[in-house]
């Protein structure tokens, strides 16, 4: 049925991966500028004509990801739900065709949270949060991974198992990619798994289909970043191998077919050396299991010759005259080699490009002759032939060269042509001979392992090429492999033709060049930023050239497209038969089918990657590939993204035509701008498929989205500029200093180049990270520049230092002297330096150019500040953005000062006469070493800080002409020869200090004019004697020669402390990072310090993954704290919260063992359970009793879920051993001796009892909690810390006045500068003592105290507020999760009562005049509401902890507490609720009659919409409606007093409705009132009424139990029990 319904075509080559109707997905915040609050708007359009108008479709949720097949698609929306749309022939019970405007929810995935989706031609896939894979759709070729099924109707789990493990464990998957007949999965280990049919699987098998997912072994050991599927080909983005893994010698023969990899052919007057071996598999498996690509080439198809000389055959798909199109301006001077009769010539890419277009010079073909045509079948024969060449004398070779014709042949990577030509300079011959690594045999002065000669660019490229490129494409035209270059140039015998003088000169040792691309990226960046050192691998069918290897051959295994290895590819996309690669420099490479111009260019052939043709300044940052078109997302002139379209135009009448019928269709010659793109909002991602296009966009919410796009666009633009400077300026400069022999300048320039490359690489990684953030998260917390700002700050600091050093030493002026190079491109230099001045000196242009990155720091600050304006001032995101802005702005100002110092120092040395005076010495001391000089006090023996000593103290000594200098670690004396000399020193030092402190840049005119120096200063110092700080560098504030104030200490072992100091020791809040050598991670502490040790509240993140939050003392955990253990905090296997003593668990604590599903609540000693405690499990077991040595040992009580109870002796965990009583659920019990483990069989020696009706079981049903920790013993450390914050050594022992002073200090010192004004008002109101006058507490003063407590408990800055916050945390930790056990209800209630009693003790300490518990305030309240709250009498109020504190405490503890009540009353509430549902089926009059309500109380008419309506027999839910609605509010209140107030209002509403129809003097009797109230309770339909009744009864204030509220509550309780036992007929 499926095949009949859906027509297939065997030769349909243009089946796309996408839907033929594409969607524009708008995702914007519900609080955005769109007042309707709609989210997830869908728009559809086709083609690129000006008449296209997107059609809008609404979705209920924001769309996170879209994946499209040929005629269907899937959407991932917020919340992890998946929708499908389009045609579903595989759906058996659903409509097969659903319009694109009607997405259908995939209900089979409802229980899963999906994080990624994928769609093939006719099947779909989804990845869940736990890494599971679900597939559905067509399965004829095994593409769904489910055997024996041709169609999978609904999403079905597919197991991805590793067969190499026993038992096979499940592989966690990150993302999927689907083709027409295959599927790929990227695992969490970044390996590729494949299933389905075809060579595009990359598996070593000939049996198809492959039903079970198998690992692509040829990519094993590599770090795959992304996978993409075309119709019948696959792509993978792979991180480059580390250098040590790539530096392996290549074998001489192919491991698959055993043919030679390199051949040499001897012609009449030239030699052809070729590595044109082609292996059909394209991959060789080495002995160690790794895959290596063969440097194979395509077979020869036809001959092509130049006018000067014929060359060997090559393939038409790899014609060399077409290769230069892949080169671009970002690579400077790519080298090619030509050997002519023993002489080697280097040519640049420009030469090749010219040769490709000039009719007089045709480049040789790529594919050389096969190895079978070589007369030298092995390496030994090659060496002998080369030796024959070396025997010819230099004179003979020179004569041959002068007589020979100028036959100029440029080789490609496959071919080296050795022929005759005109004589070339010997220097060029030597320079081209030396670029290989290591010395050359027979070369005098050669330095092994070094770079003895050649341009610096060659050596840089060699180092870059040493990265992991073991596998390469056969069609690569830009050879960068160091081994290949060395192999082709190091021909034995050529050196014998060179004079010894030139050899000695060429082999002179030189400084090794630094790669302009950092190998492995920035070490400190780690996994925080995406990698730019990537490779693109492809495999599968290649008839359209979509594999990018320069031919149309298929590849059975993955093969690296080598020409993209240095392009910093960050994203790949696959259309039906073409491929795209997006680079970090915002360039797009395309290859494959170009039948409709979908590649963005019209160059041929299309079998190798070429740049899409875009206007200058267009920076692409996302791509989508359809069947015959490409969609590009780019930055334009403004920061709102724009869309470009390349490919086939769509005609309205032919939208439903088959995709392979494209005759008469128009298409683009190059990408064109879509005219409506500016109306789509801020597009964050694009998709393409079939004949249509898709874009994911956001609405601008309070400017946040626009600011985020502006930040990312600015970073992309900045990286492109840095790359242009590196390739057009920095690389030529490295060559320039080599030729000019500027040795010192070369060293400094290499240091500058190294720092510049690090900065450039970091910017590229950051721009890629910002782009990825735009595609998925769009959150502030994902900005790396905020969370890890130190990486950026350190990199910029290092770069500025290198530029400053180069400037101080006159490096830019030295570069400007040989102006031949810059004379060729002054406009380029001026444009890159962004200088509009005319006739500006060349050196100034270079200075401005290399200081240009410093201006970007201001751009960071501006954009972060702009982002911050989108948030509330009190929000966490605003604080992060403000801090980040401050850091970058402060660094920008600091670097600006450093630049001025460098310029001043350069001019100083330039004008320095050479005679050193005291004043000159101080100036040198200040500027040459870039140290900070600080002012000195004018009085004798005053202290000062001086120079590099960072905090050196200077004072007068009693000696006649001496100065005493006190440093942080030493004291020494300076003696002058006379008083004049001494005064001269003081005056010069004071002038320099005055100038440095004031920042004026000039010395003062005299000592009398110097300003008074501040007593606190900022400086840097490296300790060398102090044992604790030895070799550590401190930078920050100083006072009296010691660190004091904010500062930072860095140790050589990697430890860093940043925070407050006092008297030379850490004191106050600080941040401490300590590396762990064993785990290669860091321990991280944030918190308070005292006298150099951790002391106070703090957070410690251990390198093991554990996290501790709590109190410290003397560098140890001491006091109350919580420890989360486990590798990941989000899924910790255990959590402990409780008391610590000297770094060990001691006292009361709660331990949640998540892996075992157990929770322990009891006493601890030395990290072991010791004393009484309670354990509950997720299986319903409950134990309370004694613990000893971390085991259940002693007397205890054990209950199971079915109420089976054992009370007796225990010896181990859950192990019975000794006397006890085992009581069954039905009351039968055993009494005797028990042995064995609970749940695995018990051995009993004793008696069995079956009680009769007259037996008393009072002794057997003893209440739980007897053997648990008493409530007043719990959380003592929490209350003790609160007392300590109030200044009390013990509870109740302290001064009241001191407590209020400590409260004021805590509130004022902890206020943040950016807190909300309302919050500041709250804090200010808490600083005043409500008890202003001593004397009895009146009602007015009592109300002031009550309002004060409410405010105090709402802010964590107040000691009571922090106490309340901690109590809520520990209570929820105890009774949530496994702790939600109904048998813990009594303990939970008693714990709350204990809280009230202990908090009331604190309150009475702060307000001593407040009466004791149960005392009265003998004054009536003027507030009528307070009269209602007064439950005992109108003339007095009873003071109780529950009435004063329960309204503050209970709302915070209500959820876990009410859950326990609901579990305890579950059975009773179910009986009650069943009766409520049954009785509520009756109409009002029938129910009133059934309950026995007298007719005089029946309402005659009821108000409906403002009008009175008569009550008839069919009326339902209308009588006493206001009372019913009032009683329903009992579930929305928290405290018993509030719930009693609701009950009272319900009675008043009943009375009001009855009195309206009766006389006003009516009085209720209980016999009349109860049936009416029972009716109201039934109609209120309160689900957990039994839990509400029990909560009120347990926590009700005792003084109201016998009053009016008590009677009303008794009535409600009676109604509850009456409903449970109500019988209906």
């Amino acid at each position: 049925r499926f095949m009949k319904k859906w027509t297939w075509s065997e030769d349909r080559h243009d089946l796309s991966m996408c839907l033929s109707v594409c969607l524009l997905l708008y995702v914007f915040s519900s609080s955005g500028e769109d007042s309707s609050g709609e989210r997830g708007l869908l728009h559809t359009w086709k083609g690129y004509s000006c008449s296209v108008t997107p059609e809008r479709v609404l979705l209920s949720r924001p769309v996170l990801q879209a994946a499209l097949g040929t005629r269907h698609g899937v959407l991932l929306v917020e919340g992890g739900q998946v929708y499908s749309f389009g045609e579903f022939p595989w759906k058996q019970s659903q409509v097969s065709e659903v319009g694109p405007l009607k997405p259908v929810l995939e209900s089979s995935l409802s229980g899963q949270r999906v994080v990624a989706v994928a769609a093939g031609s006719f099947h779909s896939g989804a990845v869940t949060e736990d890494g599971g894979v679900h597939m559905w759709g067509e399965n004829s070729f095994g593409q769904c991974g489910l055997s024996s099924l041709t169609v999978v109707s609904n999403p079905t789990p597919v197991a991805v198992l590793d067969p190499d493990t026993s038992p096979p464990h499940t592989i966690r998957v990150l993302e999927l990619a689907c083709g027409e007949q295959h599927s790929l999965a990227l695992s969490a280990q970044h390996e590729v798994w494949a299933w389905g049919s075809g060579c595009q699987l990359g598996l070593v098998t000939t049996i198809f289909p492959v039903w079970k997912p198998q690992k692509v072994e040829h990519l094993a050991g590599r770090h795959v970043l992304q996978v993409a599927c075309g119709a019948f080909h696959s792509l993978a983005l792979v991180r480059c191998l580390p250098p040590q893994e790539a530096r392996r010698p290549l074998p001489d023969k192919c491991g698959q077919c055993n043919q030679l990899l390199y051949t040499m052919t001897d012609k009449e007057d030239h030699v052809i050396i070729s590595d044109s071996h082609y292996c059909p598999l394209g991959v060789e498996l080495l002995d160690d299991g790794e895959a290596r690509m063969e440097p194979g080439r395509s077979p020869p198809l036809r001959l092509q010759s130049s006018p000067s000389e014929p060359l060997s055959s090559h393939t038409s798909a790899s014609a060399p005259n077409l290769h230069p199109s892949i080169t671009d301006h970002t690579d400077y001077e790519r080298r090619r080699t030509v050997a002519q009769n023993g002489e080697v010539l280097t040519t640049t890419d420009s030469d090749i490009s010219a040769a490709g277009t000039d009719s007089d010079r045709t480049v040789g073909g790529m594919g050389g002759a096969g190895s079978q045509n070589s007369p030298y079948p092995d390496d030994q024969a090659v060496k002998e032939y080369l030796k024959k060449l070396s025997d010819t004398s230099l004179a003979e070779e020179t004569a041959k060269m002068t007589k020979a014709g100028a036959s100029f042949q440029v080789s490609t990577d496959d071919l080296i042509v050795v022929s005759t030509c005109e004589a070339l300079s010997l220097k060029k011959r030597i320079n081209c001979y030396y670029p290989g690594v290591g010395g050359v045999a027979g070369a005098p002065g050669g330095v092994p392992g070094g770079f003895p000669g050649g341009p610096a660019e060659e050596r840089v490229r060699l180092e870059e090429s040493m990265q992991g490129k073991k596998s390469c494409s056969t069609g690569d035209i830009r050879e960068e492999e160091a081994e290949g270059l060395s192999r082709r140039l190091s021909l034995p015998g050529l050196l014998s033709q060179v004079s010894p003088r030139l050899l000695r000169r060429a082999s002179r040792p030189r400084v090794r060049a630094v790669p302009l691309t950092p190998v492995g990226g920035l070490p400190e960046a780690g996994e925080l930023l995406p990698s730019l050192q990537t490779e693109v691998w492809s495999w599968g069918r290649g008839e359209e050239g979509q594999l990018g290897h320069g031919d149309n051959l298929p590849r059975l295994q993955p093969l690296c497209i080598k020409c993209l290895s240095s392009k910093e590819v960050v994203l790949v996309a696959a259309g039906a038969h073409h491929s795209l690669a997006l680079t970090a420099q915002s360039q797009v490479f395309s290859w494959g089918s170009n039948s409709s111009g979908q590649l963005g260019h019209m160059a041929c052939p299309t079998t190798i990657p070429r740049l899409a043709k875009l206007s200058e300044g267009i920076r692409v940052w996302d791509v989508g590939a359809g069947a015959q078109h490409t969609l590009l997302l780019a930055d334009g002139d403004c920061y709102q993204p724009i869309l470009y379209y390349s490919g086939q135009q769509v005609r309205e009448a032919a939208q439903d035509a088959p995709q392979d019928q494209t005759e008469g269709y128009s298409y683009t010659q190059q990408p064109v701008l879509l005219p409506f793109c500016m109306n789509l909002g801020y597009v964050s991602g694009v998709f393409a498929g079939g004949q249509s296009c898709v874009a994911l966009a956001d609405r601008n919410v309070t400017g946040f989205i626009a600011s985020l796009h502006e930040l990312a666009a600015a970073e992309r633009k900045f990286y492109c500029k840095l790359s242009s400077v590196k390739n057009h300026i920095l690389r030529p400069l490295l060559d320039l200093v080599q030729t000019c022999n500027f040795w010192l300048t070369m060293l400094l320039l290499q240091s500058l180049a190294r720092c510049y490359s690090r900065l450039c690489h970091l910017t590229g990684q950051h721009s890629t990270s910002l782009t990825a953030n735009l595609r998925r998260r769009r959150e502030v917390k994902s900005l790396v520049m905020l969370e890890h700002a130190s990486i950026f700050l350190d990199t910029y600091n290092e770069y500025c230092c290198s530029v400053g050093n180069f400037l101080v030493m006159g490096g830019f002026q030295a570069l400007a002297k040989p102006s031949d190079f810059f004379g060729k491109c002054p406009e380029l230099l001026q444009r890159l330096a962004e200088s509009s001045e005319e006739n500006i000196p060349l050196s100034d242009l270079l200075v401005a150019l290399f200081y240009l990155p410093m201006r970007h720091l201001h751009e960071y600050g501006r954009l972060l500040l702009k982002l911050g304006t989108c948030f509330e001032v009190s929000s966490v995101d605003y604080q992060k953005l403000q801090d980040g802005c401050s850091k970058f702005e402060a660094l920008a100002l600091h670097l600006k000062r450093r630049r001025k110092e460098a310029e001043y120092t350069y001019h100083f040395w330039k004008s320095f006469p050479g005679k050193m005076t005291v004043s000159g010495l101080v100036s040198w001391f200040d500027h040459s070493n870039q140290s900070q000089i600080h002012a000195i006090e004018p009085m004798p023996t005053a202290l000062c800080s001086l120079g590099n000593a960072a905090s050196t103290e200077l004072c007068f000594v009693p000696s006649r002409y001496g100065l005493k200098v006190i440093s942080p670690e030493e004291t020494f004396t300076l003696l002058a020869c006379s008083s004049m000399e001494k005064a001269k020193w003081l005056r010069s030092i004071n002038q320099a200090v005055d100038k440095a402190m004031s920042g004026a840049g000039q010395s003062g005119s005299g000592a009398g004019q110097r300003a008074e120096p501040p007593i606190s200063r900022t400086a840097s110092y490296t300790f060398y004697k102090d044992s604790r700080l030895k070799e550590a560098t401190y930078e920050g504030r100083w006072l009296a020669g010691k660190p004091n104030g904010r500062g930072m200490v860095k140790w050589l072992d990697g430890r860093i402390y940043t925070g407050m100091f006092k008297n030379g020791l850490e004191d106050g809040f600080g941040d401490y990072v300590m590396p762990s050598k064993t785990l290669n991670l860091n321990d991280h502490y944030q918190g308070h310090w005292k006298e150099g040790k951790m002391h106070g509240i703090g957070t410690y993140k251990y390198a093991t993954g554990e996290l501790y939050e709590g109190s410290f003392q003397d560098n140890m955990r001491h006091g109350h704290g919580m420890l989360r253990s486990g590798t990941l905090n989000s899924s910790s296997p255990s959590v402990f919260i409780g008391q610590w003593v000297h770094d060990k668990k001691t006292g009361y604590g709660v331990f949640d063992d998540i892996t075992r599903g157990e929770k322990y609540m009891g006493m601890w000693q030395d990290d072991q359970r010791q004393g009484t405690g309670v354990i509950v499990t997720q299986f319903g077991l409950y134990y309370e009793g004694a613990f000893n040595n971390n085991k259940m040992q002693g007397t205890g009580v054990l209950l199971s879920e079915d109420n089976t109870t054992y009370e007796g002796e225990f010896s181990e965990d859950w192990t019975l051993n000794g006397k006890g009583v085992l009581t069954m659920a039905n009351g039968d019990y055993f009494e005797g001796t028990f042995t064995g483990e609970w749940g695995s069989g018990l051995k009993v020696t004793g008696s069995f009892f079956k009680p009769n009706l007259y037996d008393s079981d009072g002794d057997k049903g003893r209440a739980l909690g007897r053997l648990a920790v008493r409530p007043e013993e719990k959380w003592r450390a929490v209350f003790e810390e609160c007392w300590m914050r109030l200044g009390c050594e013990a509870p109740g022992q302290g001064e009241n006045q001191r407590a209020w002073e400590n409260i004021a200090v805590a509130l004022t010192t902890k206020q943040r500068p950016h807190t909300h004004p309302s919050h500041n008002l709250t804090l200010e109101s808490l600083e005043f003592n409500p008890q202003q006058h001593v004397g009895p507490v009146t009602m007015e003063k009592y109300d002031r105290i009550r309002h004060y407590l409410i405010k105090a408990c709402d802010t964590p800055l107040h000691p009571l507020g922090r106490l309340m916050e901690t109590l809520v945390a520990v209570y929820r930790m105890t009774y949530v999760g496994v702790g939600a056990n109904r048998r813990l209800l009594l303990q939970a209630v008693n714990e709350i009562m204990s809280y009230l009693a202990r908090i009331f003790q604190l309150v009475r300490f702060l307000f001593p005049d407040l009466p004791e518990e149960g005392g009265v305030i003998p004054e009536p309240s003027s507030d009528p509401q307070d009269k209602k709250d007064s439950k005992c009498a109108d003339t007095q109020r009873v003071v109780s902890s529950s009435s004063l504190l329960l309204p503050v405490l209970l709302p915070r503890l209500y959820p876990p507490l009410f859950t326990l009540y609901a579990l305890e009353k579950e059975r009773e509430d179910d009986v009650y609720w069943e009766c409520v549902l049954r009785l509520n089926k009756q109409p009002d009059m029938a129910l009133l009659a059934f309950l026995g309500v007298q007719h005089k109380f029946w309402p005659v008419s009821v108000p409906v919409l403002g009008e009175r309506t008569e009550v008839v027999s069919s009326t339902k839910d209308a009588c006493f409606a206001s009372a019913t609605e009032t009683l329903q509010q009992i579930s929305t209140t928290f405290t018993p007093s509030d719930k009693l107030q609701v009950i009272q209002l319900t009675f008043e509403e009943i009375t009001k409705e009855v009195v309206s129809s009766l006389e006003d003097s009516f009085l209720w009797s209980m016999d009349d009132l109860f049936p009416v109230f029972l009716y109201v309770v039934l109609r209120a339909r309160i689900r957990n009424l039994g839990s509400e009744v029990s909560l009120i009864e347990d926590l009700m204030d005792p003084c109201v139990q016998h009053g009016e509220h008590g009677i009303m509550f008794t009535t409600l309780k009676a109604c509850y029990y009456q409903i449970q036992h109500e019988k209906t007929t």
Side-chain angles (χ1 to χ4, degrees), residues 1496-1497 1551 1555 1558-1566 1568-1569:
K1496 65 178 180 179
F1497 301 127
T1551 304
V1555 168
L1558 301 177
E1559 51 274 4
D1560 295 335
S1561 60
F1562 169 78
L1563 293 177
W1564 283 105
S1565 67
M1566 185 54 67
D1568 296 334
L1569 176 61

Side-chain angles (χ1 to χ4, degrees), residues 97 116 320 591 607 680 1048 1072 1088 1192 1254 1343 1548 1574-1575:
E97 294 189 10
W591 63 98
T607 57
L680 302 184
M1048 179 174 65
Y1072 180 62
H1088 291 82
M1192 300 177 185
Y1254 303 99
D1343 289 335
E1548 292 175 0
L1574 182 59
Y1575 170 87

Side-chain angles (χ1 to χ4, degrees), residues 876-894:
V876 177
D877 289 336
Y878 179 84
Q879 298 293 336
K880 289 184 177 180
L881 291 167
Q882 277 290 110
D883 294 342
C885 174
S886 302
K887 291 178 181 178
F888 286 107
E889 285 291 344
L891 179 63
L893 295 176
H894 172 67

Side-chain angles (χ1 to χ4, degrees), residues 235 326 471-474 476 534-538 546-549 559-566 579 591 607-609:
L235 300 176
I326 195 174
S471 304
C472 64
S473 165
T474 61
D476 180 25
T534 57
E535 300 171 339
V536 179
W537 295 60
S538 63
Q546 60 265 48
L547 299 185
H549 300 310
L559 189 64
C560 178
I561 306 176
K562 188 177 177 185
C563 59
L564 294 177
S565 297
S566 62
S579 306
W591 63 98
T607 57
I608 56 174

Side-chain angles (χ1 to χ4, degrees), residues 1126-1266:
T1127 55
L1128 295 175
N1129 293 330
S1130 60
S1131 58
S1132 302
S1134 65
V1135 180
F1136 172 82
I1137 185 169
Q1139 186 174 358
W1140 299 75
V1141 176
H1142 301 315
D1143 222 27
K1144 294 184 178 181
K1145 308 180 187 76
T1146 301
Y1148 180 77
V1150 175
F1151 180 75
D1152 190 358
D1153 192 341
I1154 300 174
T1155 55
R1156 298 180 60 183
E1158 295 181 359
K1159 182 173 287 189
Y1160 170 78
M1161 296 159 279
M1163 302 304 294
W1164 295 75
Q1165 182 175 344
D1166 294 335
D1167 282 337
Q1168 292 188 335
R1169 296 174 294 181
Q1170 186 80 17
T1172 57
V1174 173
I1175 284 186
V1176 291
T1177 72
Q1178 62 183 356
F1179 307 105
L1181 293 180
Y1182 171 94
Y1183 171 85
E1184 68 175 43
F1187 286 81
N1188 188 24
N1189 295 327
N1190 211 34
K1191 296 180 291 187
M1192 300 177 185
Q1193 200 170 80
T1195 304
V1197 178
L1198 176 61
L1199 283 85
S1200 65
E1201 183 67 20
D1202 62 352
N1203 291 327
T1204 302
T1205 306
Y1206 170 78
E1207 182 174 1
E1209 298 293 327
F1210 289 79
S1211 62
E1212 294 280 347
D1213 286 352
W1214 312 110
T1215 303
L1216 288 60
N1217 191 1
K1219 295 182 179 180
V1221 177
L1222 179 66
T1223 305
M1224 306 301 177
N1226 60 358
D1228 299 346
Y1229 63 94
F1230 288 89
E1231 187 171 346
T1233 303
F1234 295 79
T1235 57
E1237 184 177 359
W1238 186 269
S1240 62
L1242 297 176
K1243 184 178 181 180
V1244 185
T1245 303
S1247 304
F1248 172 77
F1249 297 90
K1250 189 173 183 64
N1252 54 41
L1253 297 176
Y1254 303 99
D1255 287 346
S1256 174
D1257 56 352
D1259 294 335
K1260 303 294 184 293
R1262 306 174 71 176
L1264 296 177
R1266 298 177 295 104

Side-chain angles (χ1 to χ4, degrees), residues 518 522 529-533 568-570 583-586 712 714-723 726 756-772 792 795-796 856 860:
L522 299 177
L529 294 170
S531 174
L532 300 186
Q533 297 173 345
E568 300 179 348
V569 176
V570 296
T583 70
Q585 297 180 23
S586 302
E715 195 73 352
R716 289 190 289 266
K717 181 178 180 181
F718 181 53
Y719 180 57
C720 292
K721 178 177 283 293
L722 290 180
S723 300
K726 182 174 72 173
Y756 185 93
S757 65
R758 286 172 57 87
L759 176 62
C760 184
H761 194 80
L762 175 63
T763 305
Q765 289 181 294
H766 188 223
S767 67
T768 307
S769 174
L770 291 176
T771 303
F792 295 83
T795 304
Y796 273 90
H856 197 62
Y860 280 152

Side-chain angles (χ1 to χ4, degrees), residues 147 166 189 201 324 421 517 578 594 648 656 692 788-789 794 845 875 912 978 1182 1220 1249 1276 1278 1300 1359 1394 1479 1586:
S147 60
S166 181
Q189 290 77 29
L201 295 181
C421 69
T517 300
H578 72 287
N594 199 24
Q648 177 181 302
D656 299 328
S692 309
H788 305 277
D794 293 343
L845 269 180
S875 65
F912 186 63
S978 64
Y1182 171 94
F1249 297 90
R1276 297 184 65 177
V1278 177
W1300 285 105
S1394 171
L1479 292 176

Side-chain angles (χ1 to χ4, degrees), residues 235-256:
L235 300 176
L237 183 63
V238 184
R239 182 185 297 173
C240 291
L241 287 176
Q244 61 270 20
E245 297 184 30
R247 293 175 182 174
R248 297 184 181 179
L250 296 178
D252 297 329
K253 295 184 179 181
C254 176
Q256 298 281 66

